[in-house]
Structures are given as structure tokens and as C-alpha cells.
Amino acid sequence: MDTLGKILVVDDEADILEFISYNLKKEGYEVFTASNGKEALPIAKKMKPDLILLDVMMPVMDGIETCKRIKADSDFNQTYVVFLTARSEDYSEIEGLDAGADDYIAKPIKPKVLVTRLNAILRRKIKEAASPSIKVKDIFIDRESFLIYRGEQKIQLARKEFELLFLLASKPGKVFTRENILEKVWGDEVLVVDRTIDVHIRKIREKLGDEYIGTVKGVGYKFEI
Amino acid sequence: MDTLGKILVVDDEADILEFISYNLKKEGYEVFTASNGKEALPIAKKMKPDLILLDVMMPVMDGIETCKRIKADSDFNQTYVVFLTARSEDYSEIEGLDAGADDYIAKPIKPKVLVTRLNAILRRKIKEAASPSIKVKDIFIDRESFLIYRGEQKIQLARKEFELLFLLASKPGKVFTRENILEKVWGDEVLVVDRTIDVHIRKIREKLGDEYIGTVKGVGYKFEI
DNA sequence: ACAAATTGTTATCTAATTGTTAAGTGTGTT
DNA sequence: AACACACTTAACAATTAGATAACAATTTGT
């Protein structure tokens, strides 16, 4: 089974870290840990977690401060931040939400509550994430109807061609390596020979016109801006 | 402006009732109140609120019990139930979700949180609420009479065929995956083989004509615009 | 209980999609 | 100019998805 998502857990108490980590892994999440805000930031940068679970009270850099920094970084505007607050520090709720946290969970943590809440939050996130349509130059790509328009003209692409074009068009100008493309369009189980991508690119060019997809020799393909 | 929706608030403390009621009315909702579950049920029956805000801890009939009764009543399968839980009673969160609640809000209540959450929930609901009849191209589908017209011509579809066509026609152009269709038309308990859908599609095409339902290979079916 | 209609399953067929191979083309390098 | 490299292109092969028909099971009406 594919992972449900990546979660970074930040707490200074090793046993709590262990406890949360265990429960989330059991549920199917990929879990990273850090024991304070200062440690957490570079890990977050690297691992791009879907959600960060942040203890409010920590030495070195507390949760509020960490949250503020995360929320200020555009790399993380897709990342949810959830606070762990001790029952007694109710005020943190306010401060935390001010700092940009998306939710909070009160200690002591009950595994079922934790997992239920995080599932709910991440489900919401996944739903919000997929942008349904893209417009670049005179090309309009709609995931909902699986249709592509060049201006007024409707263009019919096969499934793989569609996914491939959609990927390239999702970041116009960015070069995608073949490795990149294989991972995103084919998924990592299936193994397909490199030339296959070239052939699909060719088919798309045939149907769309040559001017939209550029080749960067030795690197990969991109949607020309 | 038309009312945003009807909300029934149930809580045994008069001042909380007053406080919530005030804030929701200010936002533009039509608000009814009750001070326990027993009172709430007949009011709910009569007023058909879009959402019921339910305190968990109440004398006479508590929120969990009330929620269960509401959810068991088919009159209310369009009604959302949101729990108000005191911070200290975390367990209720889970019990509440088990009882069929759609969401919960922790006390102490902050007006902004309350209003934001309810807005979000009701927006979702309005979107989901299917209009009783649909007209696309020359097809008219009426949920009330379970009849379909192509122009003047009356067309008789079997129940499943009707539901399937209704689903597709509810978002013309959008491609529904088989998974999608199974979930919406069959419901997730029933397990039916994929090909069954194909066969139903074929029946609909036979009766309606081939031009209305399109196949997107590798994805699913859609109502052609 | 029976007949009729609806709903679901399965097997076969067809066509489109997807993947592979190999020859071709162009560009840059020595 | 000869060569290597990387992509293009065409032809073809393999695979897969969906259409369709025939039939089985289930439900509904009488």
C-alpha cells in the first residue's frame, strides 16, 4: 500500500515522540521526528511533510515560533500545522491559531483521537489539493472532463498522453526528467523503457502541435512558456 | 439576501444558547433553539434545519443519544449534526463521531471559529444537495416522477439506470470513474463487479441514444455536453 | 407461486492504447 | 569529415479496456 502521507512530529520528550510515531506508523503514515523547532525546520525543508505535529512547549525553539517560521515560508503553504497543547495551557490555543496553526490537539494524547483527527485533516487536504484545470498559453486542460482545448478546438488525447501533458503543464517552463515523468505518470511499480516517453511526447506533439513541448537534450522535456 | 440556512442550536445553558444564537443570526442564519434533546427532536421535525448544533452534555437527553435518534430518522439524512464538546471531555469526540456526527466544535466557543466552521460545513452541504430535476441538451430528468424526456418523448428507465444517468447528468462533462459511480449509485456496502456498470451504461444508451453518454477509456463515463 | 422486469455475471470480440524496436536525423566535438 | 550522442520517427507487437450478447440471479407485481 502507498503511504497515506508524511508527518513530521516535533516534541522534546523522547517517549512522547516514540509513542506518537508508533501510532502514526501503524496507521500507515510515513513519520519523521525532531526534538525541537530548530531541528525541525531543515527536516521539514527536506522531507516536505504533509503535516507537522508540533508541541507548543519546547526548549531551543518553541512551537509558536516554529509555526510562525513555517507559515512564513512559501515552501510550506501546502503544509498543515497541528499543535499539541497541554491541557493546562489553554491560552496557547489562541496564540497558536494566531501563529497560523490549522488545528490543535490537547494532551494527554489518545491514539484514537490523534489518528482520527489527523486522518480527517489530511483527507480534507488531499481533496483541496488537486487543481482540476490548467490554462497555459492557448491550451486549456481540464481534469474534470479529461478534455483539452487549443483555443476553441477540442483535442482528444489518450489517458497516458493526457497525464503526461498535464504533468508538464502543471509547471510550465520546468524541465521534467524522464525519471521524474516515469515516477509521476507511470508510478514507481511499473517499469517502462525510456523511449516510451519519447514516443508519447511525439504523439502529443502530433495532436497539439510541435510548439508546446520542448526538448532539453540530456535532461528531459518541458512545457514551453 | 436570502437566509444562508436554518440552524437548530441545542444547549441546556441559556446564556450559551443566547450567545450562539446571537452570533449566528448576525451572520445571516435562521436560528431555532432547544434546551435538551427531547425538546429538540420535535422542533427539528418541524423546522427541517440544515444543521443541528448539539451540546454533548445535557440533562434529559444528552447529545449522543439525540444524535443517534436524528441519524436514525430518514427525515434527517440531509441534516448535518455538529457537536459542542467541552474541552475536558475529549472522549466525546470519538463517541460523537461514532454516533454519526459530522463534525464537532470545542468549547469554549469563539464566535469567529464557530461561524467559520459552520459556513464551511453548510457550503459543502449546499453543493452536495442535488436539485430535483436536471435539464441537459434535450434531455429532461425529473427525480420527482422518475421520468426522463428526450424532447417530447417519454423514456422509461429502470431504477439503477435512472440513478446512474442522474449522477452523470448532475455534472455534465465531468468524468465519473467507476469507483465514483459505485460509491454514489450503489453505495459503498454493496460490492458489484465493474462490468456491471458497463452493462447499465449500455442499457441507457440503447434507450436514450448513443450520443449522450461518452466513454473516456481508462477513466470512466460522462454525460456529453 | 408464477411471470415479468430488473439487476448482476461472465465470456468473447474488437478496437484503441500502450510499449518496443530499430532505423533515421541532427547537433556538437574532435 | 567522422563520430558519438540524444532524440525523432515509423512500423509493429503486446496489452488492455470496453462493447456486447447471452445468461443467471434477484426482485417485484399479480
Side-chain angles (χ1 to χ4, degrees):
Chain A
M1 187 189 66
D2 202 21
T3 172
L4 287 172
K6 290 180 279 186
I7 298 181
L8 171 60
V9 186
V10 190
D11 198 309
D12 59 311
E13 290 173 65
D15 52 344
I16 291 190
L17 220 48
E18 179 57 38
F19 169 76
I20 293 176
S21 183
Y22 166 77
N23 280 292
L24 293 179
K25 278 179 184 161
K26 201 176 61 176
E27 183 69 12
Y29 290 103
E30 196 175 340
V31 181
F32 312 100
T33 57
S35 62
N36 61 61
K38 206 167 180 179
E39 260 182 36
L41 287 178
I43 297 176
K45 273 274 191 198
K46 187 147 171 243
M47 298 310 174
K48 308 242 173 249
D50 301 289
L51 186 147
I52 300 177
L53 201 52
L54 212 48
D55 189 24
V56 172
M57 292 289 288
M58 285 182 299
V60 187
M61 193 194 292
D62 75 15
I64 306 276
E65 178 62 23
T66 311
C67 180
K68 279 182 184 162
R69 297 213 190 183
I70 286 166
K71 285 295 172 180
D73 188 333
S74 67
D75 272 11
F76 296 125
N77 50 20
Q78 299 283 29
T79 309
Y80 273 65
V81 175
V82 174
F83 272 128
L84 292 171
T85 74
R87 174 73 42 73
S88 55
E89 5 161 349
D90 266 8
Y91 66 89
S92 65
E93 196 184 308
I94 310 215
E95 244 199 286
L97 293 174
D98 279 351
D102 299 285
D103 211 337
Y104 56 89
I105 294 178
K107 291 182 181 182
I109 296 157
K110 294 189 198 63
K112 208 176 165 192
V113 175
L114 179 75
V115 163
T116 308
R117 287 280 280 275
L118 296 191
N119 280 343
I121 290 169
L122 286 170
R123 216 178 305 123
R124 210 186 311 145
K125 178 183 160 147
I126 285 161
K127 223 172 156 187
E128 282 171 12
S131 107
S133 65
I134 298 172
K135 179 142 182 33
V136 206
K137 298 210 278 193
D138 62 338
I139 299 290
F140 178 74
I141 307 175
D142 183 25
R143 240 193 172 326
E144 195 141 276
S145 61
F146 273 83
L147 279 177
I148 291 171
Y149 291 87
R150 189 180 55 206
E152 293 301 298
Q153 188 198 0
K154 199 188 282 187
I155 290 167
Q156 191 72 23
L157 291 192
R159 172 84 185 277
K160 278 268 149 59
E161 292 158 19
F162 185 95
E163 299 289 358
L164 179 42
L165 180 63
F166 194 86
L167 175 67
L168 297 182
S170 68
K171 264 217 158 198
K174 173 185 156 88
V175 181
F176 291 82
T177 65
R178 288 190 171 68
E179 201 183 358
N180 257 335
I181 292 171
L182 277 182
E183 187 190 321
K184 294 280 176 59
V185 176
W186 272 261
D188 28 31
E189 355 68 68
V190 191
L191 202 47
V192 157
V193 117
D194 267 17
R195 302 274 123 249
T196 302
I197 295 171
D198 305 24
V199 175
H200 280 281
I201 292 282
R202 175 148 184 290
K203 295 251 182 76
I204 298 172
R205 283 174 175 160
E206 256 174 16
K207 291 176 184 174
L208 260 199
D210 282 347
E211 63 270 41
Y212 297 100
I213 296 181
T215 304
V216 181
K217 279 189 97 163
V219 190
Y221 295 98
K222 67 174 169 179
F223 196 104
E224 298 284 359
I225 300 178
Chain B
M1 187 184 67
D2 204 18
T3 172
L4 287 172
K6 290 180 278 186
I7 298 180
L8 171 59
V9 187
V10 189
D11 197 311
D12 58 311
E13 291 173 66
D15 52 343
I16 292 191
L17 221 47
E18 180 57 38
F19 170 76
I20 293 175
S21 181
Y22 165 77
N23 279 292
L24 292 179
K25 278 178 182 161
K26 201 176 62 176
E27 184 67 12
Y29 291 101
E30 196 173 339
V31 182
F32 312 100
T33 57
S35 62
N36 61 60
K38 207 168 178 180
E39 260 183 38
L41 287 177
I43 297 176
K45 276 273 191 198
K46 188 150 170 239
M47 297 310 177
K48 307 245 172 246
D50 302 288
L51 186 147
I52 300 177
L53 201 53
L54 212 50
D55 190 23
V56 173
M57 293 288 289
M58 285 182 301
V60 188
M61 190 195 294
D62 75 15
I64 306 276
E65 180 60 23
T66 312
C67 180
K68 280 181 183 160
R69 299 213 188 182
I70 287 166
K71 285 295 170 180
D73 187 332
S74 66
D75 272 10
F76 295 125
N77 50 21
Q78 298 283 27
T79 309
Y80 275 65
V81 175
V82 175
F83 272 128
L84 291 172
T85 75
R87 171 73 42 73
S88 54
E89 3 160 353
D90 265 8
Y91 66 90
S92 63
E93 217 173 283
I94 309 234
E95 240 198 289
L97 292 175
D98 281 349
D102 300 284
D103 210 338
Y104 54 88
I105 294 179
K107 292 181 179 181
I109 295 156
K110 296 191 197 61
K112 207 177 165 190
V113 174
L114 178 75
V115 163
T116 307
R117 290 277 280 275
L118 297 191
N119 279 342
I121 290 167
L122 285 170
R123 215 177 305 123
R124 211 186 311 146
K125 178 181 160 150
I126 285 161
K127 224 173 156 185
E128 281 170 14
S131 77
S133 65
I134 297 172
K135 179 143 182 32
V136 207
K137 297 210 278 194
D138 62 338
I139 300 291
F140 179 74
I141 307 174
D142 184 25
R143 239 201 171 336
E144 209 103 70
S145 61
F146 269 82
L147 278 178
I148 291 171
Y149 292 88
R150 189 181 54 207
E152 293 301 300
Q153 186 199 1
K154 197 187 284 186
I155 291 167
Q156 192 71 25
L157 290 192
R159 175 74 185 281
K160 277 270 148 58
E161 291 159 19
F162 185 93
E163 297 289 357
L164 180 41
L165 180 63
F166 193 86
L167 175 66
L168 296 182
S170 69
K171 259 220 158 193
K174 175 185 157 84
V175 180
F176 291 81
T177 64
R178 288 190 171 67
E179 202 184 357
N180 258 334
I181 293 171
L182 278 182
E183 188 190 320
K184 294 279 176 62
V185 176
W186 273 261
D188 30 30
E189 355 69 66
V190 190
L191 202 46
V192 158
V193 117
D194 268 15
R195 303 270 123 251
T196 302
I197 295 170
D198 305 25
V199 176
H200 280 278
I201 291 283
R202 172 140 189 296
K203 296 253 181 75
I204 298 173
R205 282 174 175 160
E206 257 174 16
K207 292 176 183 175
L208 259 198
D210 281 347
E211 63 270 40
Y212 298 101
I213 297 180
T215 303
V216 181
K217 275 192 105 163
V219 189
Y221 296 98
K222 66 174 166 181
F223 196 103
E224 297 284 359
I225 301 178

